[in-house]
């Protein structure tokens, strides 16, 4: 394994750890628990589940994998704050979360080492020539940090004691 492959493995291992931890948490929570606020006057678990599903769904076109599976989630869960009228049932959000992450996982396995260091679609070719670190692997690393942040919030939904 060369250094490039090692770096890819490290980044994807972190991604997979956070996906597994988040799945474990969501699987342990009832729909009623997910519907609660993570703290008084803060986001609900429902909103965070929808937000994470929408952000990960947006990775499909950003990484040139394909079209979004749930484009209808982007506006209410990314562009709009919680408690602004979102009403997607939690079971549907759970399905979206699982299907999007499954699609990402399948695609990630097909990427070559060189694929990971190509630009994602939010970067122009001109900008990428100046900033080659704005590549697909960097996007996954960024989204891993994003997921870790929201997982920290979601842990407050778990009953204590």
């Amino acid at each position: 394994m060369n250094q490039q492959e090692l770096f890819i493995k490290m980044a994807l291992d972190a991604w997979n750890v956070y996906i597994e931890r988040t799945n474990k948490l969501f699987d342990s929570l009832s729909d009623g628990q997910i519907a609660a606020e993570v703290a008084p006057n803060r986001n609900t678990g429902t909103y965070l589940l929808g937000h994470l599903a929408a952000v990960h769904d947006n990775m499909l076109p950003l990484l040139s994998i394909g079209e979004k599976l749930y484009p209808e989630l982007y506006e209410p869960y990314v562009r709009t704050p919680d408690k602004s009228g979102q009403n997607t049932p939690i079971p549907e959000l759970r399905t979206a979360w699982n299907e999007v992450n499954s699609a990402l996982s399948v695609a990630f396995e097909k990427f070559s080492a060189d694929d990971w260091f190509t630009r994602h679609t939010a970067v122009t070719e001109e900008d990428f020539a100046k900033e080659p670190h704005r590549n697909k692997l960097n996007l996954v690393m960024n989204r891993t940090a994003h997921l870790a942040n929201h997982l920290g919030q979601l842990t407050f939904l778990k009953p204590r004691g």
Side-chain angles (χ1 to χ4, degrees):
M1 181 178 295
N2 64 36
Q3 280 191 315
Q4 187 180 46
E5 293 166 336
L6 179 61
F7 191 70
I8 294 164
K9 180 177 179 2
M10 291 165 43
L12 292 180
D13 283 353
W15 167 264
N16 288 324
V17 162
Y18 280 99
I19 292 292
E20 288 172 22
R21 287 178 182 169
T22 306
N23 285 341
K24 184 177 177 183
L25 179 62
F26 283 141
D27 290 346
S28 75
L29 297 171
S30 69
D31 288 359
Q33 289 169 316
I34 289 177
E37 292 179 331
V38 297
N41 301 312
R42 298 292 181 191
N43 287 332
T44 62
T46 306
Y47 181 81
L48 292 172
L49 173 57
H51 175 74
L52 289 169
V55 168
H56 288 199
D57 195 29
N58 197 48
M59 291 172 67
L60 295 169
L62 287 173
L63 296 172
S64 302
I65 293 168
E67 296 300 314
K68 293 179 190 181
L69 301 176
Y70 297 90
E72 69 280 4
L73 296 180
Y74 197 81
E75 186 68 30
Y77 294 100
V78 176
R79 296 197 182 269
T80 309
D82 196 359
K83 303 174 187 93
S84 298
Q86 300 87 344
N87 61 2
T88 311
I90 292 170
E92 290 180 26
L93 294 175
R94 288 180 189 265
T95 297
W97 166 255
N98 289 323
E99 288 184 0
V100 166
N101 287 310
S102 178
L104 288 168
S105 179
V106 168
F108 289 176
E109 290 177 18
K110 295 177 182 176
F111 278 19
S112 70
D114 289 340
D115 290 336
W116 284 111
F117 294 95
T118 60
R119 73 179 180 91
H120 56 78
T121 62
V123 179
T124 65
E125 290 191 31
E126 296 79 25
D127 286 343
F128 187 67
K130 296 177 216 167
E131 300 175 291
H133 64 280
R134 296 176 67 189
N135 57 48
K136 291 177 180 177
L137 188 61
N138 194 5
L139 182 105
V140 171
M141 292 168 57
N142 175 283
R143 294 307 185 271
T144 302
H146 177 256
L147 175 58
N149 176 62
H150 287 308
L151 177 58
Q153 293 174 311
L154 288 161
T155 60
F156 288 106
L157 295 172
K158 199 150 179 81
R160 303 286 183 241

